[in-house]
Amino acid sequence: MLRLAMTTGEETFERVREPLADRGIAVVHVQATERSLRVSGGGSGDGPSGKPAGEFDGFDAGFVYPSRLMEGAVVDARLSVPWVNDRDAVLTSRNKAGVIAALADAGLPTPRTTMVSNPVDEAVVTEAVEPFSYPVVVKPNSATRGVGVATASDLDSLLGVVDYLNLVHDYRATGDKSYLIQEFLPDARDYRAMVVDGAYAGAVERELPTDAVEEGRWKHNVHRGAAATGVDLPDRARELAERTAEALGIDYLGVDLLEADGRLVVNETNARPTVDAAAKYEPDFYDRLAALIERTAAAGE
């Protein structure tokens, strides 16, 4: 049986284990964070090719590269396997501005977006927001799960949000010192489409409870209380998701789509997407996912 290393121990791990086992793939959790990791024993090592033996042995492929890149480099070296989504795929998707730029160059619809690289004077921010209408969305360039995303209703509130970002970016250890100013699409419907090996594989609509919306909340992130309901997207949305994955060159991708006033745009992508319940995807979702994993493993032989 093929052995697949998975560095997430959350929902995705629990959901994919049995379906992939039925298709000849054993999914094993490899803890990459919140632990100690042996980097070197000071000698030639005690495993194959001089590497320490043990928990990282016997794998054929990895699912997606660890989210923390520093720990990921050690885990990657220990496993010595190809990844369905490797480090480059994760980095490509994590860079929100880079994704928007690549998709815009490919002629795909995206929200109007400007990237700001700190430190800059207030005059630069003022000039950057001039083409937009308020409110605008302000978001860190490489955060996930809606962390740090806010709206600004005027220039003063925008500069206030930027002040907080400046405090964070002032720390020298901060890697990404950029953020995005983006047009706000009110009352947009929020979809996460899955693409597996270049083909649409299903989608969910993410929606906050009515009382949350009435309270003024607008970020439809599942990790912030939104519910994900399986939906049957129209052809134009399916094609947009597939073209997004093709433009970025990522085999396994979550594509976040926003639909408002007849517009359909790609808002973000995720190369480490959470897998939802199988009933929310196409019937052959796991067959195609298993085939992609097997092909990835074969490429590393």
Side-chain angles (χ1 to χ4, degrees):
M1 181 175 275
L2 186 152
R3 295 186 79 225
L4 177 72
M6 184 172 287
T7 59
T8 175
E10 300 179 1
E11 299 102 325
T12 294
F13 174 71
E14 295 298 334
R15 288 172 180 150
V16 306
R17 281 200 311 176
E18 186 174 339
L20 289 180
D22 292 341
R23 292 160 175 82
I25 300 173
V27 183
V28 180
H29 178 228
V30 173
Q31 185 177 352
T33 62
E34 299 180 4
R35 58 165 299 179
S36 64
L37 284 163
R38 179 179 171 186
V39 177
S40 169
S44 60
D46 53 9
S49 303
K51 298 177 182 178
E55 63 178 302
F56 300 109
D57 292 343
F59 288 95
D60 301 287
F63 192 49
V64 292
Y65 197 88
S67 58
R68 296 188 188 177
L69 302 182
M70 301 300 106
E71 292 92 328
V74 177
V75 171
D76 186 26
R78 292 289 169 263
L79 288 171
S80 294
V81 295
W83 298 85
V84 171
N85 279 354
D86 60 13
R87 183 178 185 273
D88 287 345
V90 171
L91 281 173
T92 294
S93 178
R94 183 176 295 179
N95 184 345
K96 294 179 173 60
V99 166
I100 294 293
L103 298 184
D105 284 350
L108 303 184
T110 61
R112 171 178 285 180
T113 305
T114 294
M115 179 185 192
V116 179
S117 176
N118 266 339
V120 297
D121 295 332
E122 283 189 1
V124 176
V125 180
T126 302
E127 181 180 4
V129 77
E130 283 181 357
F132 294 82
S133 297
Y134 287 102
V136 294
V137 177
V138 188
K139 62 173 66 172
N141 186 44
S142 54
T144 61
R145 299 184 176 183
V147 174
V149 179
T151 57
S153 57
D154 52 38
L155 181 58
D156 280 343
S157 58
L158 171 61
L159 294 176
V161 173
V162 170
D163 282 343
Y164 284 104
L165 290 171
N166 289 341
L167 288 174
V168 175
H169 291 166
D170 190 49
Y171 289 99
R172 294 191 177 186
T174 303
D176 183 0
K177 298 179 184 291
S178 61
Y179 61 91
L180 307 184
I181 299 173
Q182 195 169 70
E183 68 172 307
F184 179 59
L185 301 177
D187 303 319
R189 299 184 71 174
D190 186 311
Y191 304 107
R192 162 64 63 83
M194 293 287 278
V195 179
V196 178
D197 206 10
Y200 170 81
V204 296
E205 180 175 3
R206 300 177 295 194
E207 190 172 15
L208 285 168
T210 301
D211 58 347
V213 175
E214 291 175 348
E215 291 170 358
R217 294 178 59 191
W218 58 276
K219 291 188 282 188
H220 296 275
N221 299 86
V222 172
H223 297 284
R224 294 181 177 273
T229 305
V231 292
D232 187 20
L233 290 183
D235 288 344
R236 72 172 183 135
R238 297 178 180 218
E239 292 169 2
L240 180 54
E242 291 175 350
R243 291 179 63 194
T244 297
E246 180 182 13
L248 300 179
I250 300 178
D251 288 329
Y252 170 67
L253 187 66
V255 181
D256 293 347
L257 305 173
L258 296 179
E259 184 179 24
D261 296 327
R263 292 178 63 193
L264 183 68
V265 299
V266 180
N267 188 44
E268 296 180 7
T269 63
N270 191 335
R272 298 178 54 83
T274 298
V275 175
D276 215 307
K280 298 178 183 180
Y281 298 126
E282 300 290 283
D284 64 347
F285 172 80
Y286 276 107
D287 291 331
R288 286 161 47 192
L289 184 59
L292 175 59
I293 294 168
E294 290 167 354
R295 194 177 78 244
T296 300
E301 293 178 351

